[in-house]
């Protein structure tokens, strides 16, 4: 198998040893026994030299060593702020990218309505509806990651009221004409709240 993989990928080793009863391996102070399997899958998280030791019934040993490169992989994660129609929603990338000199591109798909290559894009949604947001990341070292999340765009409240002119010391009537509101908090400018 290829001696260079991305984090999280599995190295596949093909056992072509003959007259072998057991195979042991060692990498970065981690040791294990893989029996006499023809295919040996190993998940290795950092670069290092792996050593295989084969042993037969007579106790005879043979070794094979190979350097394995584990390349740093981008991690696609993101969060968002308030999602209401008529208000811009900001998407914030919260994952990790491989260290320089590796470069990483961001490819956002915002519900098939818009795309972006920015690290932190924004979108103005016009309707209350479920939306599917996808982020795919590709690094110049050949590693990639992606994530898809579903979000619900809520209806944006519209605060509005009507008031008529009155004389000093007269009572004022405020007519609430707000739309799509669950609760109200009135501030009258004189330190009074309702």
């Amino acid at each position: 198998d290829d001696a260079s993989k991305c984090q999280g990928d599995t190295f596949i080793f093909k056992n072509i040893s003959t007259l072998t009863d057991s195979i042991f391996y060692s990498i970065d102070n981690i040791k294990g026994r893989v029996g006499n399997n023809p295919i040996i899958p190993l998940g290795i998280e950092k670069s290092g030299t792996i050593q295989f030791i084969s042993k037969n019934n007579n106790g005879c040993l043979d070794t094979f060593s190979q350097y394995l490169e584990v390349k740093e992989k981008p991690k696609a994660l993101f969060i968002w702020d308030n999602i209401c129609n008529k208000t811009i929603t900001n998407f914030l990338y919260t994952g990790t990218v491989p260290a320089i000199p590796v470069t990483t591109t961001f490819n956002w798909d915002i519900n098939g309505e818009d795309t972006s290559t920015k690290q932190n894009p924004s979108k103005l949604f016009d309707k209350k509806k479920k939306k599917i947001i996808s982020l795919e990341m590709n690094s110049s070292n050949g590693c990639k990651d992606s994530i898809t999340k579903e979000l619900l765009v809520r209806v944006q409240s519209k605060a509005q009221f009507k008031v008529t002119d009155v004389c000093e010391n007269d009572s004022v009537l405020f007519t609430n004409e707000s739309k799509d509101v669950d609760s109200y908090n009135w501030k009258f400018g004189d330190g009074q709240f309702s």
Side-chain angles (χ1 to χ4, degrees):
D1 195 21
D2 189 6
S4 178
K5 298 275 187 180
C6 298
Q7 288 171 321
D9 291 349
T10 301
F11 286 89
I12 305 292
F13 299 94
K14 186 174 181 183
N15 179 7
I16 55 173
S17 304
T18 57
L19 303 173
T20 299
D21 295 323
S22 297
I23 296 180
F24 301 87
Y25 70 91
S26 172
I27 184 169
D28 195 33
N29 294 326
I30 299 170
K31 298 180 180 190
R33 180 177 186 273
V34 292
N36 196 15
N37 300 324
I39 302 294
I40 305 165
L42 292 175
I44 299 168
E45 288 301 313
K46 63 183 189 176
S47 298
T49 300
I50 190 165
Q51 183 178 49
F52 287 97
I53 303 166
S54 62
K55 180 180 177 185
N56 67 15
N57 284 337
N58 298 324
C60 297
L61 303 174
D62 190 22
T63 62
F64 170 78
S65 297
Q66 182 174 356
Y67 180 77
L68 304 177
E69 178 189 21
V70 179
K71 299 178 282 188
E72 193 176 358
K73 181 178 179 177
K75 182 67 178 164
L77 291 173
F78 64 92
I79 58 173
W80 55 86
D81 57 10
N82 295 328
I83 301 176
C84 297
N85 69 328
K86 303 177 187 172
T87 300
I88 292 176
T89 299
N90 298 301
F91 296 95
L92 177 64
Y93 173 69
T94 58
T96 57
V97 295
I100 294 173
V102 175
T103 58
T104 302
T105 59
F106 294 80
N107 299 298
W108 293 85
D109 181 349
I110 303 172
N111 203 56
E113 300 169 10
D114 204 357
T115 59
S116 178
T117 56
K118 292 181 180 180
Q119 183 172 336
N120 299 305
S122 299
K123 173 69 176 166
L124 177 64
F125 296 106
D126 61 348
K127 295 179 183 171
K128 176 184 173 183
K129 188 177 179 184
K130 286 184 181 176
K131 304 286 183 176
I132 304 295
I133 312 300
S134 298
L135 169 61
E136 182 179 294
M137 302 174 65
N138 296 294
S139 292
S140 60
N141 64 2
C143 299
K144 60 186 177 179
D145 194 26
S146 63
I147 189 170
T148 299
K149 294 185 178 185
E150 181 180 274
L151 55 94
L152 177 62
V153 177
R154 297 179 303 260
V155 175
Q156 175 73 43
S157 299
K158 172 113 174 107
Q160 189 170 334
F161 64 91
K162 184 168 37 172
V163 65
T164 56
D165 292 334
V166 295
C167 295
E168 190 175 351
N169 297 326
D170 284 348
S171 295
V172 178
L173 176 64
F174 294 91
T175 306
N176 186 359
E177 295 181 345
S178 302
K179 295 183 174 33
D180 300 314
V181 179
D182 295 327
S183 63
Y184 302 93
N185 184 13
W186 292 84
K187 296 178 184 177
F188 296 104
D190 60 358
Q192 303 266 337
F193 295 90
S194 172

